[in-house]
Amino acid sequence: MINNIIFDFDSVILCAEGVELILQQALLRLDEKTRLQCTSKLNQITYLADIGETPMAEAMQERFALAPVYREDVEAGATRILAALSPKVRETFAALRTAGKRLFVFSTGSDEWVRPVTRALQVEDDHVFTNQLLYDDQGRVTGFDEKNPLFLSVGKGYIVEQLKNEGRLPGGTAVVGNGASDLAIRTNGCAQMFVYFSTQRTHEEIRRQADFSVDVLDQMLPLFFSEDELSHEHMQAIYAQNEFGKSAGQPQVLLLESVHEMAAKKLQHEGWNVRQGKGAWCSDKLISDAGEVQVLGIRSQTRLSGKTIAALPQLWAIGAFCIGTNQIDLQAAADAGIPVFNAPYSNTRSVAELVVGEIIMLLRRIPEKNRAAHAGQWLKSAAGCAEIRGKTVGIIGYGHIGSQVSVLLENLGMSVLFHDIVDKLPLGNARRAGGLEELLNSADVVTLHVPDTPETRNLMDASRIQKMRKGAVLINSSRGKVVDLAALRAALDEGALSGAALDVFPEEPAQPQDVFVTPLQGAANVILTPHIGGSTQEAQVNIANYVSDKLLRFVRTGATAGAVNFPEVDLPRVPHTHRILHVHRNVPGVLAKINSVFARRNINVAGQMLQTKEHIGYLIVDVDQQVSNQVLDLMQHITETIKVRKIA
Ligand code: NAI
């Protein structure tokens, strides 16, 4: 229980450095150039003092050496400071005071501008610790009282210890500020909690060591109060303005690029509110029109850059209703606590079927007979035409597609040889080739099903194409850069190969209206298709089902199995428990902070599972009682927190 709260005056109450405001008053007398130089120097002095690099006394001397400061500057500055006191500060202090918290204010600034403010906030005078300015006979400031403990880097800690010894800090103590001296009170054990208050000047090193970090004053209320205290009417009025702690209702969904209607049906069936769009949206449209969307579904044309993702902080998950995820900045999504789900193998069968069809077409020389028939020629010859039965197919890359092709072709009577860099279990009667060369030497048909990697770029170059059997055919429906197309064209023209089918190319048109050019155009017995290996209605339905199932499971249970950018966690739900999902920066000590929130609120943890991936940690926690939004707020303000969500 927190009974005493110590505020740093400048960073929390003023959101500025008081002494700087006084000095700015004095700098008004200088010419513009000198004033600008002095202001920049002033900022630098304050920064170095804040992070503990320059001792406080030295920083004060440096500041007052910049320009002469007189009593009237101090008085005018103090009046401005009091007038600028924000209503939010007044409200928060009133709420804390009414609830019986003991409030203390520490400042390295002087009585002249600190006390009018603390009196306005009704903080007792003997709870306010300041320094005193010294003046000469002409009213010019000559310095500060250097014996004042606040001038020492450990000065605040020293005062807290004294207060403790005098029995003036009964119970738990929290410090709110953003300086090294505030943090030191906590690390020296004189306080139980350090709350980092973000201002324009961020001290990341200090923030990282804080128990909690907040950037709006009333966000810190749940840190200091019990649930009962927070439910009082007065607190509720203040707390209602707080944006955090939203629990999981039914999400708003936006599906773009005509994602198959099966997806919308599934998600609507769950009660989700689904909006659909035909084309891809640009970043500006997403930022302006998708602000309420928690689940975003796209295909390959909608680019989600880091900037767009950062501008959509309410997003819970992204569904890529396609195979690839290059269009999404996956790291930015992970950093924002957003898992991305895609459908990697939903079109495997479609590609495999196309390959089977192409082999039959090529071995019967259908492309040229078809072209001739359209042109009024009757090419009825059987020359160069063959059945596929009894022939040997060589499959390079025996993964999802390669192994399906293997099964289908064996059923059509082909012998299957395969080559893979990984030790793969042969299906049916398929045989692993002794190496790539053996496969090329033995196969009547070579079909490629490898990924795009540095090793597979130009895998089928001129020398490998030459190693293929005379009159063999080559099929590539994997990735465009795997085959050297100029070498393939030469082999076809020379008659070394009898045909080829290509569905993928090194350069593919970005838009349907762009012109497509390849060296294979016009070659005999060659099938060219526009990257449609996986483009079937069945594949679209599979993709829609697969990705929407992943999204449903994630929203219902937090499961991230199959996410491409996220730690994978899948914890079965236990009846009568309530679930919280917590995404955080993966640094030591976060779990302890999260569990201390539960301990502080007497919440029993029934189960939890944590996984990390690079610098992201993802925790699912089941607790045996319903948790309030205040508990979520506490978790939201843990310094390392990226996202928190509650599941009913
Ligand atoms: P997969 O990952 O299941 O299988 C790829 C296989 O290739 C793995 O077994 C792997 O060990 C093997 N491999 C990797 N490097 C190799 C190398 N240097 N030599 C021999 N084997 C190697 O992938 P999947 O789903 O079977 O897809 C295969 C290819 O098909 C991918 O490039 C994919 O992008 C492409 N694809 C094309 C489509 C189209 O519309 N044309 C549609 C779907 C996939």
Side-chain angles (χ1 to χ4, degrees), residues 323 344-345 347-348 351 354 396-403 419-422 424 436 448-453 455-456 459 476-479 503-504 531-535:
I323 312 297
Y345 306 115
N347 57 7
T348 298
V351 181
L354 180 67
I396 303 178
Y398 203 64
H400 287 80
I401 298 174
S403 55
H419 166 73
D420 200 296
I421 47 166
V422 173
K424 295 278 174 148
L436 185 53
L448 297 159
H449 300 290
V450 290
D452 183 21
T453 63
E455 293 74 38
T456 62
L459 181 76
N476 184 19
S477 54
S478 61
R479 301 298 289 266
D503 186 44
V504 288
H531 203 147
I532 41 83
S535 308

mmCIF file of all heavy atoms in Angstrom, residues 323 344-345 347-348 351 354 396-403 419-422 424 436 448-453 455-456 459 476-479 503-504 531-535, ligand 1:
data_model
loop_
_atom_site.group_PDB
_atom_site.id
_atom_site.type_symbol
_atom_site.label_atom_id
_atom_site.label_comp_id
_atom_site.label_asym_id
_atom_site.label_seq_id
_atom_site.Cartn_x
_atom_site.Cartn_y
_atom_site.Cartn_z
ATOM 1 N N ILE A 323 0.121 -15.610 -49.216
ATOM 2 C CA ILE A 323 1.218 -16.467 -48.772
ATOM 3 C C ILE A 323 2.360 -15.602 -48.213
ATOM 4 O O ILE A 323 2.810 -15.790 -47.094
ATOM 5 C CB ILE A 323 1.746 -17.321 -49.948
ATOM 6 C CG1 ILE A 323 0.590 -17.979 -50.705
ATOM 7 C CG2 ILE A 323 2.775 -18.327 -49.487
ATOM 8 C CD1 ILE A 323 -0.240 -18.955 -49.929
ATOM 9 N N PRO A 344 0.600 -19.839 -45.215
ATOM 10 C CA PRO A 344 1.726 -20.251 -46.042
ATOM 11 C C PRO A 344 1.441 -21.403 -47.013
ATOM 12 O O PRO A 344 1.955 -21.416 -48.101
ATOM 13 C CB PRO A 344 2.811 -20.627 -45.038
ATOM 14 C CG PRO A 344 2.107 -20.828 -43.746
ATOM 15 C CD PRO A 344 0.885 -19.989 -43.781
ATOM 16 N N TYR A 345 0.613 -22.364 -46.661
ATOM 17 C CA TYR A 345 0.505 -23.554 -47.521
ATOM 18 C C TYR A 345 -0.911 -23.801 -48.049
ATOM 19 O O TYR A 345 -1.237 -24.914 -48.423
ATOM 20 C CB TYR A 345 1.019 -24.784 -46.753
ATOM 21 C CG TYR A 345 2.421 -24.551 -46.233
ATOM 22 C CD1 TYR A 345 2.680 -24.502 -44.873
ATOM 23 C CD2 TYR A 345 3.455 -24.327 -47.125
ATOM 24 C CE1 TYR A 345 3.966 -24.243 -44.410
ATOM 25 C CE2 TYR A 345 4.738 -24.070 -46.667
ATOM 26 C CZ TYR A 345 4.987 -24.025 -45.308
ATOM 27 O OH TYR A 345 6.244 -23.764 -44.864
ATOM 28 N N ASN A 347 -2.261 -22.891 -50.792
ATOM 29 C CA ASN A 347 -2.438 -23.095 -52.235
ATOM 30 C C ASN A 347 -1.516 -24.186 -52.786
ATOM 31 O O ASN A 347 -1.301 -24.280 -53.985
ATOM 32 C CB ASN A 347 -2.223 -21.776 -52.984
ATOM 33 C CG ASN A 347 -0.854 -21.195 -52.687
ATOM 34 O OD1 ASN A 347 -0.044 -21.836 -52.036
ATOM 35 N ND2 ASN A 347 -0.607 -19.990 -53.161
ATOM 36 N N THR A 348 -1.009 -25.016 -51.897
ATOM 37 C CA THR A 348 -0.089 -26.084 -52.295
ATOM 38 C C THR A 348 -0.692 -26.973 -53.387
ATOM 39 O O THR A 348 -0.079 -27.238 -54.413
ATOM 40 C CB THR A 348 0.244 -26.948 -51.047
ATOM 41 O OG1 THR A 348 0.891 -26.108 -50.104
ATOM 42 C CG2 THR A 348 1.133 -28.122 -51.377
ATOM 43 N N VAL A 351 -0.917 -25.386 -56.936
ATOM 44 C CA VAL A 351 0.352 -25.362 -57.674
ATOM 45 C C VAL A 351 0.655 -26.766 -58.197
ATOM 46 O O VAL A 351 1.006 -26.950 -59.366
ATOM 47 C CB VAL A 351 1.515 -24.863 -56.777
ATOM 48 C CG1 VAL A 351 2.810 -24.818 -57.580
ATOM 49 C CG2 VAL A 351 1.210 -23.498 -56.186
ATOM 50 N N LEU A 354 -1.349 -27.680 -61.248
ATOM 51 C CA LEU A 354 -0.913 -26.971 -62.463
ATOM 52 C C LEU A 354 0.321 -27.660 -63.052
ATOM 53 O O LEU A 354 0.431 -27.857 -64.266
ATOM 54 C CB LEU A 354 -0.606 -25.500 -62.150
ATOM 55 C CG LEU A 354 -0.143 -24.685 -63.348
ATOM 56 C CD1 LEU A 354 -1.275 -24.517 -64.366
ATOM 57 C CD2 LEU A 354 0.367 -23.304 -62.927
ATOM 58 N N ILE A 396 13.017 -30.918 -57.646
ATOM 59 C CA ILE A 396 14.053 -30.221 -56.855
ATOM 60 C C ILE A 396 13.336 -29.380 -55.808
ATOM 61 O O ILE A 396 12.598 -28.454 -56.145
ATOM 62 C CB ILE A 396 14.945 -29.350 -57.764
ATOM 63 C CG1 ILE A 396 15.575 -30.228 -58.855
ATOM 64 C CG2 ILE A 396 16.012 -28.634 -56.934
ATOM 65 C CD1 ILE A 396 16.449 -29.467 -59.841
ATOM 66 N N GLY A 397 13.530 -29.724 -54.545
ATOM 67 C CA GLY A 397 12.791 -29.090 -53.436
ATOM 68 C C GLY A 397 11.602 -29.972 -53.104
ATOM 69 O O GLY A 397 10.573 -29.903 -53.760
ATOM 70 N N TYR A 398 11.761 -30.827 -52.064
ATOM 71 C CA TYR A 398 10.725 -31.812 -51.732
ATOM 72 C C TYR A 398 9.951 -31.342 -50.497
ATOM 73 O O TYR A 398 9.831 -32.032 -49.496
ATOM 74 C CB TYR A 398 11.400 -33.172 -51.490
ATOM 75 C CG TYR A 398 10.501 -34.376 -51.679
ATOM 76 C CD1 TYR A 398 9.961 -34.674 -52.927
ATOM 77 C CD2 TYR A 398 10.221 -35.233 -50.620
ATOM 78 C CE1 TYR A 398 9.159 -35.787 -53.105
ATOM 79 C CE2 TYR A 398 9.422 -36.358 -50.788
ATOM 80 C CZ TYR A 398 8.887 -36.628 -52.035
ATOM 81 O OH TYR A 398 8.092 -37.736 -52.217
ATOM 82 N N GLY A 399 9.453 -30.115 -50.585
ATOM 83 C CA GLY A 399 8.688 -29.561 -49.450
ATOM 84 C C GLY A 399 7.210 -29.796 -49.650
ATOM 85 O O GLY A 399 6.805 -30.835 -50.191
ATOM 86 N N HIS A 400 6.401 -28.799 -49.236
ATOM 87 C CA HIS A 400 4.948 -28.972 -49.312
ATOM 88 C C HIS A 400 4.485 -29.240 -50.738
ATOM 89 O O HIS A 400 3.750 -30.188 -50.988
ATOM 90 C CB HIS A 400 4.251 -27.729 -48.747
ATOM 91 C CG HIS A 400 4.360 -27.645 -47.266
ATOM 92 N ND1 HIS A 400 5.489 -27.177 -46.639
ATOM 93 C CD2 HIS A 400 3.494 -27.994 -46.289
ATOM 94 C CE1 HIS A 400 5.305 -27.232 -45.329
ATOM 95 N NE2 HIS A 400 4.106 -27.720 -45.089
ATOM 96 N N ILE A 401 4.937 -28.395 -51.695
ATOM 97 C CA ILE A 401 4.459 -28.561 -53.069
ATOM 98 C C ILE A 401 5.171 -29.741 -53.735
ATOM 99 O O ILE A 401 4.527 -30.612 -54.332
ATOM 100 C CB ILE A 401 4.675 -27.264 -53.883
ATOM 101 C CG1 ILE A 401 3.865 -26.129 -53.254
ATOM 102 C CG2 ILE A 401 4.255 -27.465 -55.342
ATOM 103 C CD1 ILE A 401 4.096 -24.764 -53.866
ATOM 104 N N GLY A 402 6.495 -29.792 -53.581
ATOM 105 C CA GLY A 402 7.268 -30.850 -54.230
ATOM 106 C C GLY A 402 6.742 -32.227 -53.866
ATOM 107 O O GLY A 402 6.587 -33.105 -54.738
ATOM 108 N N SER A 403 6.422 -32.459 -52.591
ATOM 109 C CA SER A 403 5.988 -33.793 -52.182
ATOM 110 C C SER A 403 4.572 -34.094 -52.691
ATOM 111 O O SER A 403 4.253 -35.245 -52.998
ATOM 112 C CB SER A 403 6.082 -33.946 -50.663
ATOM 113 O OG SER A 403 5.358 -32.923 -50.045
ATOM 114 N N HIS A 419 15.438 -34.197 -55.090
ATOM 115 C CA HIS A 419 16.659 -33.678 -54.467
ATOM 116 C C HIS A 419 16.255 -32.556 -53.516
ATOM 117 O O HIS A 419 15.467 -31.680 -53.872
ATOM 118 C CB HIS A 419 17.604 -33.127 -55.539
ATOM 119 C CG HIS A 419 18.701 -32.290 -54.971
ATOM 120 N ND1 HIS A 419 19.757 -32.844 -54.275
ATOM 121 C CD2 HIS A 419 18.898 -30.954 -54.959
ATOM 122 C CE1 HIS A 419 20.563 -31.869 -53.867
ATOM 123 N NE2 HIS A 419 20.060 -30.714 -54.275
ATOM 124 N N ASP A 420 16.757 -32.635 -52.291
ATOM 125 C CA ASP A 420 16.464 -31.583 -51.310
ATOM 126 C C ASP A 420 17.696 -31.434 -50.422
ATOM 127 O O ASP A 420 18.419 -32.412 -50.203
ATOM 128 C CB ASP A 420 15.239 -31.977 -50.461
ATOM 129 C CG ASP A 420 14.594 -30.779 -49.789
ATOM 130 O OD1 ASP A 420 15.252 -30.137 -48.939
ATOM 131 O OD2 ASP A 420 13.440 -30.466 -50.114
ATOM 132 N N ILE A 421 17.925 -30.217 -49.922
ATOM 133 C CA ILE A 421 19.092 -30.046 -49.046
ATOM 134 C C ILE A 421 18.821 -30.592 -47.649
ATOM 135 O O ILE A 421 19.729 -30.802 -46.860
ATOM 136 C CB ILE A 421 19.523 -28.562 -48.953
ATOM 137 C CG1 ILE A 421 18.313 -27.676 -48.713
ATOM 138 C CG2 ILE A 421 20.307 -28.125 -50.178
ATOM 139 C CD1 ILE A 421 18.663 -26.294 -48.275
ATOM 140 N N VAL A 422 17.534 -30.827 -47.354
ATOM 141 C CA VAL A 422 17.161 -31.376 -46.049
ATOM 142 C C VAL A 422 16.793 -32.845 -46.256
ATOM 143 O O VAL A 422 16.275 -33.212 -47.309
ATOM 144 C CB VAL A 422 15.965 -30.571 -45.472
ATOM 145 C CG1 VAL A 422 15.432 -31.203 -44.205
ATOM 146 C CG2 VAL A 422 16.367 -29.126 -45.241
ATOM 147 N N LYS A 424 14.596 -35.586 -46.370
ATOM 148 C CA LYS A 424 13.126 -35.676 -46.395
ATOM 149 C C LYS A 424 12.688 -37.120 -46.567
ATOM 150 O O LYS A 424 13.324 -37.886 -47.303
ATOM 151 C CB LYS A 424 12.571 -34.864 -47.569
ATOM 152 C CG LYS A 424 12.812 -33.383 -47.459
ATOM 153 C CD LYS A 424 11.778 -32.769 -46.565
ATOM 154 C CE LYS A 424 12.072 -31.313 -46.318
ATOM 155 N NZ LYS A 424 10.907 -30.522 -46.146
ATOM 156 N N LEU A 436 22.164 -33.511 -57.096
ATOM 157 C CA LEU A 436 21.463 -32.735 -58.118
ATOM 158 C C LEU A 436 21.849 -33.225 -59.519
ATOM 159 O O LEU A 436 21.009 -33.352 -60.414
ATOM 160 C CB LEU A 436 21.807 -31.249 -57.934
ATOM 161 C CG LEU A 436 21.088 -30.264 -58.832
ATOM 162 C CD1 LEU A 436 19.584 -30.434 -58.772
ATOM 163 C CD2 LEU A 436 21.455 -28.832 -58.447
ATOM 164 N N LEU A 448 10.827 -27.492 -60.432
ATOM 165 C CA LEU A 448 11.499 -26.784 -59.330
ATOM 166 C C LEU A 448 10.500 -26.332 -58.264
ATOM 167 O O LEU A 448 9.495 -25.683 -58.587
ATOM 168 C CB LEU A 448 12.211 -25.553 -59.892
ATOM 169 C CG LEU A 448 13.326 -25.859 -60.890
ATOM 170 C CD1 LEU A 448 13.609 -24.643 -61.762
ATOM 171 C CD2 LEU A 448 14.578 -26.285 -60.139
ATOM 172 N N HIS A 449 10.789 -26.638 -56.984
ATOM 173 C CA HIS A 449 9.886 -26.238 -55.888
ATOM 174 C C HIS A 449 10.691 -25.792 -54.668
ATOM 175 O O HIS A 449 10.443 -26.232 -53.551
ATOM 176 C CB HIS A 449 8.944 -27.405 -55.549
ATOM 177 C CG HIS A 449 8.117 -27.791 -56.726
ATOM 178 N ND1 HIS A 449 7.104 -26.989 -57.214
ATOM 179 C CD2 HIS A 449 8.207 -28.846 -57.574
ATOM 180 C CE1 HIS A 449 6.587 -27.541 -58.302
ATOM 181 N NE2 HIS A 449 7.239 -28.669 -58.546
ATOM 182 N N VAL A 450 11.681 -24.923 -54.944
ATOM 183 C CA VAL A 450 12.577 -24.449 -53.873
ATOM 184 C C VAL A 450 12.201 -23.012 -53.483
ATOM 185 O O VAL A 450 11.565 -22.307 -54.267
ATOM 186 C CB VAL A 450 14.051 -24.471 -54.334
ATOM 187 C CG1 VAL A 450 14.547 -25.885 -54.469
ATOM 188 C CG2 VAL A 450 14.219 -23.709 -55.637
ATOM 189 N N PRO A 451 12.618 -22.563 -52.309
ATOM 190 C CA PRO A 451 12.378 -21.154 -51.959
ATOM 191 C C PRO A 451 13.411 -20.256 -52.632
ATOM 192 O O PRO A 451 14.370 -20.743 -53.234
ATOM 193 C CB PRO A 451 12.562 -21.142 -50.437
ATOM 194 C CG PRO A 451 13.474 -22.291 -50.152
ATOM 195 C CD PRO A 451 13.249 -23.315 -51.228
ATOM 196 N N ASP A 452 13.224 -18.949 -52.490
ATOM 197 C CA ASP A 452 14.204 -17.990 -53.017
ATOM 198 C C ASP A 452 15.248 -17.740 -51.933
ATOM 199 O O ASP A 452 14.959 -17.099 -50.919
ATOM 200 C CB ASP A 452 13.465 -16.684 -53.368
ATOM 201 C CG ASP A 452 14.406 -15.665 -53.983
ATOM 202 O OD1 ASP A 452 15.464 -16.063 -54.492
ATOM 203 O OD2 ASP A 452 14.074 -14.464 -53.944
ATOM 204 N N THR A 453 16.432 -18.298 -52.116
ATOM 205 C CA THR A 453 17.514 -18.096 -51.149
ATOM 206 C C THR A 453 18.779 -17.788 -51.961
ATOM 207 O O THR A 453 18.797 -18.027 -53.166
ATOM 208 C CB THR A 453 17.775 -19.378 -50.311
ATOM 209 O OG1 THR A 453 18.218 -20.410 -51.209
ATOM 210 C CG2 THR A 453 16.548 -19.849 -49.569
ATOM 211 N N GLU A 455 21.289 -19.527 -52.199
ATOM 212 C CA GLU A 455 21.735 -20.781 -52.823
ATOM 213 C C GLU A 455 20.882 -21.150 -54.038
ATOM 214 O O GLU A 455 21.343 -21.843 -54.937
ATOM 215 C CB GLU A 455 21.677 -21.952 -51.826
ATOM 216 C CG GLU A 455 22.659 -21.868 -50.678
ATOM 217 C CD GLU A 455 22.249 -20.837 -49.651
ATOM 218 O OE1 GLU A 455 21.036 -20.716 -49.375
ATOM 219 O OE2 GLU A 455 23.137 -20.119 -49.146
ATOM 220 N N THR A 456 19.614 -20.742 -54.039
ATOM 221 C CA THR A 456 18.749 -21.162 -55.163
ATOM 222 C C THR A 456 18.736 -20.140 -56.301
ATOM 223 O O THR A 456 18.182 -20.422 -57.355
ATOM 224 C CB THR A 456 17.296 -21.410 -54.697
ATOM 225 O OG1 THR A 456 16.773 -20.178 -54.189
ATOM 226 C CG2 THR A 456 17.209 -22.489 -53.654
ATOM 227 N N LEU A 459 20.000 -21.350 -59.647
ATOM 228 C CA LEU A 459 20.284 -22.777 -59.408
ATOM 229 C C LEU A 459 20.343 -23.509 -60.753
ATOM 230 O O LEU A 459 21.218 -24.337 -61.000
ATOM 231 C CB LEU A 459 19.164 -23.367 -58.532
ATOM 232 C CG LEU A 459 19.272 -24.827 -58.151
ATOM 233 C CD1 LEU A 459 20.310 -25.008 -57.055
ATOM 234 C CD2 LEU A 459 17.936 -25.365 -57.647
ATOM 235 N N ASN A 476 9.237 -24.373 -63.941
ATOM 236 C CA ASN A 476 9.509 -23.566 -62.743
ATOM 237 C C ASN A 476 8.252 -22.836 -62.323
ATOM 238 O O ASN A 476 7.780 -21.924 -62.986
ATOM 239 C CB ASN A 476 10.632 -22.545 -62.998
ATOM 240 C CG ASN A 476 10.967 -21.789 -61.707
ATOM 241 O OD1 ASN A 476 10.626 -22.258 -60.613
ATOM 242 N ND2 ASN A 476 11.617 -20.645 -61.834
ATOM 243 N N SER A 477 7.707 -23.262 -61.169
ATOM 244 C CA SER A 477 6.583 -22.512 -60.587
ATOM 245 C C SER A 477 6.964 -22.132 -59.158
ATOM 246 O O SER A 477 6.110 -21.988 -58.304
ATOM 247 C CB SER A 477 5.312 -23.356 -60.618
ATOM 248 O OG SER A 477 5.566 -24.584 -59.988
ATOM 249 N N SER A 478 8.310 -22.034 -58.928
ATOM 250 C CA SER A 478 8.723 -21.697 -57.558
ATOM 251 C C SER A 478 9.008 -20.204 -57.445
ATOM 252 O O SER A 478 8.116 -19.425 -57.113
ATOM 253 C CB SER A 478 9.931 -22.533 -57.137
ATOM 254 O OG SER A 478 11.049 -22.305 -57.973
ATOM 255 N N ARG A 479 10.218 -19.774 -57.728
ATOM 256 C CA ARG A 479 10.554 -18.354 -57.665
ATOM 257 C C ARG A 479 11.337 -17.983 -58.924
ATOM 258 O O ARG A 479 12.120 -18.785 -59.447
ATOM 259 C CB ARG A 479 11.383 -18.038 -56.405
ATOM 260 C CG ARG A 479 10.668 -18.389 -55.108
ATOM 261 C CD ARG A 479 9.383 -17.589 -54.927
ATOM 262 N NE ARG A 479 9.673 -16.211 -54.652
ATOM 263 C CZ ARG A 479 9.774 -15.678 -53.433
ATOM 264 N NH1 ARG A 479 9.525 -16.434 -52.374
ATOM 265 N NH2 ARG A 479 10.082 -14.417 -53.273
ATOM 266 N N ASP A 503 5.952 -20.140 -64.578
ATOM 267 C CA ASP A 503 4.860 -19.382 -63.944
ATOM 268 C C ASP A 503 5.416 -18.176 -63.187
ATOM 269 O O ASP A 503 4.682 -17.283 -62.803
ATOM 270 C CB ASP A 503 4.118 -20.312 -62.966
ATOM 271 C CG ASP A 503 2.881 -19.659 -62.372
ATOM 272 O OD1 ASP A 503 2.128 -19.028 -63.146
ATOM 273 O OD2 ASP A 503 2.670 -19.760 -61.145
ATOM 274 N N VAL A 504 6.748 -18.188 -62.971
ATOM 275 C CA VAL A 504 7.380 -17.126 -62.174
ATOM 276 C C VAL A 504 8.587 -16.592 -62.933
ATOM 277 O O VAL A 504 9.251 -17.339 -63.657
ATOM 278 C CB VAL A 504 7.807 -17.667 -60.790
ATOM 279 C CG1 VAL A 504 6.604 -17.920 -59.909
ATOM 280 C CG2 VAL A 504 8.610 -18.946 -60.926
ATOM 281 N N HIS A 531 2.173 -16.033 -63.002
ATOM 282 C CA HIS A 531 2.262 -16.322 -61.557
ATOM 283 C C HIS A 531 0.887 -16.684 -60.970
ATOM 284 O O HIS A 531 0.423 -16.054 -60.020
ATOM 285 C CB HIS A 531 2.857 -15.113 -60.822
ATOM 286 C CG HIS A 531 3.492 -15.508 -59.506
ATOM 287 N ND1 HIS A 531 4.591 -14.879 -58.990
ATOM 288 C CD2 HIS A 531 3.194 -16.485 -58.608
ATOM 289 C CE1 HIS A 531 4.925 -15.423 -57.832
ATOM 290 N NE2 HIS A 531 4.088 -16.412 -57.579
ATOM 291 N N ILE A 532 0.263 -17.695 -61.577
ATOM 292 C CA ILE A 532 -1.088 -18.081 -61.128
ATOM 293 C C ILE A 532 -1.099 -19.505 -60.555
ATOM 294 O O ILE A 532 -2.165 -20.095 -60.378
ATOM 295 C CB ILE A 532 -2.130 -17.966 -62.278
ATOM 296 C CG1 ILE A 532 -1.595 -18.476 -63.619
ATOM 297 C CG2 ILE A 532 -2.575 -16.537 -62.478
ATOM 298 C CD1 ILE A 532 -1.657 -19.903 -63.846
ATOM 299 N N GLY A 533 0.087 -20.015 -60.246
ATOM 300 C CA GLY A 533 0.171 -21.388 -59.739
ATOM 301 C C GLY A 533 -0.790 -21.620 -58.576
ATOM 302 O O GLY A 533 -1.445 -22.655 -58.486
ATOM 303 N N GLY A 534 -0.872 -20.652 -57.710
ATOM 304 C CA GLY A 534 -1.711 -20.837 -56.514
ATOM 305 C C GLY A 534 -3.052 -20.141 -56.620
ATOM 306 O O GLY A 534 -3.809 -20.107 -55.647
ATOM 307 N N SER A 535 -3.333 -19.574 -57.800
ATOM 308 C CA SER A 535 -4.535 -18.731 -57.893
ATOM 309 C C SER A 535 -5.756 -19.531 -58.316
ATOM 310 O O SER A 535 -6.093 -19.582 -59.492
ATOM 311 C CB SER A 535 -4.293 -17.597 -58.898
ATOM 312 O OG SER A 535 -3.110 -16.932 -58.572
HETATM 313 P P1 NAI B 1 8.511 -25.483 -48.727
HETATM 314 O O1 NAI B 1 9.285 -24.601 -47.838
HETATM 315 O O2 NAI B 1 7.485 -26.378 -48.128
HETATM 316 O O3 NAI B 1 9.541 -26.402 -49.555
HETATM 317 C C1 NAI B 1 10.731 -25.949 -50.104
HETATM 318 C C2 NAI B 1 11.713 -27.102 -50.098
HETATM 319 O O4 NAI B 1 12.881 -26.712 -50.796
HETATM 320 C C3 NAI B 1 12.172 -27.504 -48.704
HETATM 321 O O5 NAI B 1 12.017 -28.896 -48.529
HETATM 322 C C4 NAI B 1 13.636 -27.091 -48.663
HETATM 323 O O6 NAI B 1 14.413 -27.906 -47.830
HETATM 324 C C5 NAI B 1 14.017 -27.225 -50.102
HETATM 325 N N1 NAI B 1 15.210 -26.490 -50.489
HETATM 326 C C6 NAI B 1 15.623 -25.278 -50.026
HETATM 327 N N2 NAI B 1 16.766 -24.920 -50.651
HETATM 328 C C7 NAI B 1 17.082 -25.911 -51.508
HETATM 329 C C8 NAI B 1 18.152 -26.107 -52.412
HETATM 330 N N3 NAI B 1 19.113 -25.203 -52.550
HETATM 331 N N4 NAI B 1 18.162 -27.264 -53.119
HETATM 332 C C9 NAI B 1 17.195 -28.180 -52.977
HETATM 333 N N5 NAI B 1 16.156 -28.045 -52.116
HETATM 334 C C10 NAI B 1 16.101 -26.915 -51.400
HETATM 335 O O7 NAI B 1 7.880 -24.548 -49.845
HETATM 336 P P2 NAI B 1 6.620 -24.850 -50.755
HETATM 337 O O8 NAI B 1 5.386 -24.410 -50.104
HETATM 338 O O9 NAI B 1 6.711 -26.230 -51.237
HETATM 339 O O10 NAI B 1 6.902 -23.816 -51.959
HETATM 340 C C11 NAI B 1 7.950 -24.036 -52.879
HETATM 341 C C12 NAI B 1 8.118 -22.809 -53.747
HETATM 342 O O11 NAI B 1 6.920 -22.544 -54.467
HETATM 343 C C13 NAI B 1 8.414 -21.535 -52.966
HETATM 344 O O12 NAI B 1 9.428 -20.827 -53.622
HETATM 345 C C14 NAI B 1 7.130 -20.741 -53.067
HETATM 346 O O13 NAI B 1 7.362 -19.361 -53.007
HETATM 347 C C15 NAI B 1 6.624 -21.153 -54.430
HETATM 348 N N6 NAI B 1 5.179 -20.955 -54.604
HETATM 349 C C16 NAI B 1 4.756 -20.501 -55.841
HETATM 350 C C17 NAI B 1 3.421 -20.304 -56.078
HETATM 351 C C18 NAI B 1 2.955 -19.855 -57.421
HETATM 352 O O14 NAI B 1 1.905 -19.235 -57.514
HETATM 353 N N7 NAI B 1 3.691 -20.158 -58.445
HETATM 354 C C19 NAI B 1 2.421 -20.519 -55.048
HETATM 355 C C20 NAI B 1 2.961 -21.086 -53.825
HETATM 356 C C21 NAI B 1 4.297 -21.259 -53.627
#
